[in-house]
Structure formats: C-alpha cells, structure tokens
Amino acid sequence: MHTNYYFLRQLAPALSERLRGYRVATCFSQEKDELVIGLTDGGAEFWLKVQLGANFPALALPETFQRARANSVDLFPDLLGEQLESVAAWPFDRVLQINFRSGARLVFKLYGPRPNAIFRLTPEAPAQLFQQKLLADADLRPAPPKAADENPAVDPLKRHPALADLPARYLRAQGYEAAPADARPRLVNQLLAQLETPAHYYIIQYEGRTRLSLLPLGDILETFPGTAPLAALRRFVPMALGRRALETELRQVRQTLERRADEASSAATHARQRLHALAHEAGYRNIADLIMAHLHEIRPGATQHEVVDFYTGEPRTIKLKANEKPQKTAENLYRKAKNQQIEERQLTERIARREAEAFFALERLEELDTQPALAELRGLRTWRKLHGLDPAQAAAQAARELPFKVFEDRGFTILVGRNSANNDLLTQKYAHKDDLWLHAKDVSGSHVVIRHKAGQTIPEPVIEHAAQLAGWYSRRQHDSLCPVTVTPKKFVRKPKGALPGQVVVEREKVVLVKPGNPFEKE
C-alpha cells in the first residue's frame, strides 16, 4: 500500500510539515527510472528518491545520498531554487503533488505499469515529463470527485475502488464474505475509519512479497506508530528492494517445483494407464502361438480363421492378411511381442522414476516453507544448486524426461507433440496458460508449445522457428508456405467429446513460414 491513496493521504501532510520552506538544491538521475531530488533549508538536507520503474514505483526517503561523479544527468533545471509550500495527495488516486510557493508543481504519478514525474513551472506552462514516451501524462489532472454508489445491489466493498487488494483481503480474512448483507456496510465503514486514521503502519510478508500495510495482515516484520509515515516509508522501500531478488527467485523455484510435481504425476499416470492397457489386451505372442498351432487348418488367402483359444478356452477369430503367409504374420507378431515386452519394462521404469520425481518436488516445496536458511538469497542459491534446481540444470533435466520432441532456442524450450494422444497430453497437461501454442492451420499436425519464462518476452526468431516446426510436423510439410496459428495456451480449449488432438482456438494470429526443422543441422 505504499502507493495507495490511503497511505499517501497520511504521507502528504507529514511531508508538508517536515519540508515547508525547504528549497530544491539538486535534481538529477543516475540510474534508469530513478529521479533524485535534494532539498535544504540552509542547514539540514532532505532527500527524495523516486523509483519510476514499472515493476516497483516508490518514493524513497534516504537519510543521505552521494551523487556519482559520472553517469548522472541533471533534470528539470527550472525546479532548482523552488521553495516548497505543501504536499498533497490527489483524491482517491496514486498521485502525490508537491506545490511550490512560486506556483510551480511537481507531480509523482505512482501507477504500477506506467509511473512518471511531471513538472510545470506554472499551472499553464507546458509539462516536462520524466518518462517522455508517456505523452498523455502532459494532460494528467485530478479526477473530479465521484458520488458514492448507493445501489444496494452492489457489494459495499466494490463501491470504494481506492481500497486496493490488501484492505479487501483483510476484510475477507475477518469474515466479510460470511457476514449478513446488512452488516457489510458497517464492516466497510469500520475499515475506512482504520485507513483514514491508522493506528500503525506494518511492514509485512504476504504471499511471498514484502508489503507496506495500514492493516495487520500476513507475517508482520516491523511495526511503526500511526504518527510516523515518514519513518515507515524510509524503512520499507530499501527493505522491499533488498528482498525483491530473494522473493523473485523464491517464486520461480516454487513455480518450477509445482510444475515439476504436476508434470511428473501426470506422466506417471499416463504411463500407468498405458501399462494397464497392455496388460489387459490380448498379447501379440498369444495370437502368434494360435496361428502356429492351427497353421495346417488355415486356407491360403484367408483373411480370418476361427479357433479355440487354448489360453482361455473361448472361441476366437484371428485376423489375417490375404496377401501374406500365416507364418509371416506370426513372425511379425512375435517381433511386436518382443517390442511390447520392452515397452512394458520401459513403462514400469518410467512410472517409478516419475513418481520419485514428484515426491522429490513435493519434499523440496515443503523445505521452502520450513528451512530458515532459505530466507536469505545466498542460502537459497546454494540450496538450488545442491538439489539441481538451478534454471539451466532444471531445463536440461526437463528436456531429458519430457515425452515429446524437445528443442532449445535462445534459452527457450520448444515442445512438439508426437501423435494425437501425445498432443492432448502436451496441450492439456504440460502446457501452462502463458505458454505460446502453435499449430499448422486447417490441417492435422503436431501441437507445438513454447515454454513461457517469467518476465521475458519470447523473441520473434524463436516463434518463427517453432512455427516452422509446426508446419514440418503436419500435412503441410511439403508446401512452399504454411499458415500457422499462434496464440497463448489460455485461448486453447478442448470441447467435451472431441477426438484426441482436437481443440478449439478462441483467439489467434496467423504467421506464414516455410515448413522445416531449423534445428536439424544442430
């Protein structure tokens, strides 16, 4: 909640009281998406360091700041010497405005995906933007106040959009969902009273992230009195930035282990079903034995022959090929029986191996929540290497075990289905909703999946190579050009009753490629 309106409305008057009369002494940037402003009253100094990156917009208040001798650039030169009059929070918004006595204004827009700083020397002067690509911010103005929605059909919690996620989750943890409808407005009003006059500020650990909260939620790391928003913010921002790498890697490890456990369990179940089918279908060897035992009875050119199965005592019809001698048919069946035995042994081994992998992943997930050493980045990285959970090791292991054709391209994994049933397994069980799914358009062929990597966009060359594979492993293999459907997997669904490999694509774009295997030479 460090950028939420209910915190900013506490922060603004505290900054006004602390900084009224201070003048801007310096304004510069020496890191990408970072604006540093130094203020002084002639004796004391005060620093504002504004993080304007999309991932973590924040206003930091370092005690001191040393400007680098190189790689820094002065910004907003008209701001220098301006004397601060007040700081205000825009109503029900994530915007903080600094007002100067000359009429100049500096606005910090702390929206998650597109933060910015906007400076105007006068209210009518042209806007100077920190993030110059966000041209629409030049016209940013406070939104006019809206009347509260009194519609009784609307959930009272949804009538206050500025509440954000933590207050809403706090209410639900207090039993809001189970409360009678006529009691809910009272609960929301009590919450608003707590937010408007907080008793404390809390630095919490909640769902794997370090957060600043006006309400006690999750694991409370530190507590500050409600009269100290500056102290709470000064402590929170460096702590959150310091823990961010750890929290990101913890989420990645957790996602990797959850996916590995799920994939291993699915693969073991799939192999067990196949093994069961092999065990309960008539074996090739049995049919070959019956052919050889009744060889003298089979007429030349016959396509079938009725016998009594000496394994079961029941009548049985043996299918034959008119243009093939029965001895040759039996010979082929004996060879298939040998291959079937090999397959059964491999399936048994795969089941044991995949069940062990699932158990391993579940054990490691439990350790993530119980081992204190993993609360430090160094300890987590050591533990990852010890258990083969380093990203490169995990990718190599996955490539060895996946029951699909596997290709690596620029650090991304491309999976290709082998047949209709295997396509279903790939799309329905292995593919994540954010993976990219490809298929040759309007013909039968392999499903192709490019594995998503958190925080990374799949490069166009990787998509092109995967599209070539989709064309190559389809009926358009020998066409000069092949249209290929490309879409996130979340837009691919399998209708009830559809045949193996059949899916419906709800949104798609189509690319034209020449079918081929770009990895063949490698």
Side-chain angles (χ1 to χ4, degrees), residues 26 84 103 125 154 200 213 285 323 350 360 370 444 493 509:
T26 185
L84 191 144
V154 177
H200 298 92
S213 174
R285 181 175 291 279
N323 58 350
R350 182 183 299 172
F360 169 87
T370 56
S444 60
R493 61 182 179 85
K509 74 173 185 178

Side-chain angles (χ1 to χ4, degrees), residues 260-262 264-265 353-363:
R260 184 178 292 188
D262 184 56
S265 298
R353 184 173 65 253
R354 298 301 257 169
E355 286 181 340
E357 285 180 16
F359 183 69
F360 169 87
L362 293 173
E363 278 190 320

Side-chain angles (χ1 to χ4, degrees), residues 485-500:
T485 294
V486 182
T487 187
K489 190 271 170 186
K490 61 187 175 185
F491 298 127
V492 180
R493 61 182 179 85
K494 187 173 182 66
K496 187 175 181 180
L499 296 175

Side-chain angles (χ1 to χ4, degrees), residues 473-491:
Y473 292 104
S474 77
R475 288 186 178 271
R476 294 187 186 273
Q477 183 182 85
H478 300 296
D479 290 3
S480 56
L481 280 176
C482 171
V484 175
T485 294
V486 182
T487 187
K489 190 271 170 186
K490 61 187 175 185
F491 298 127

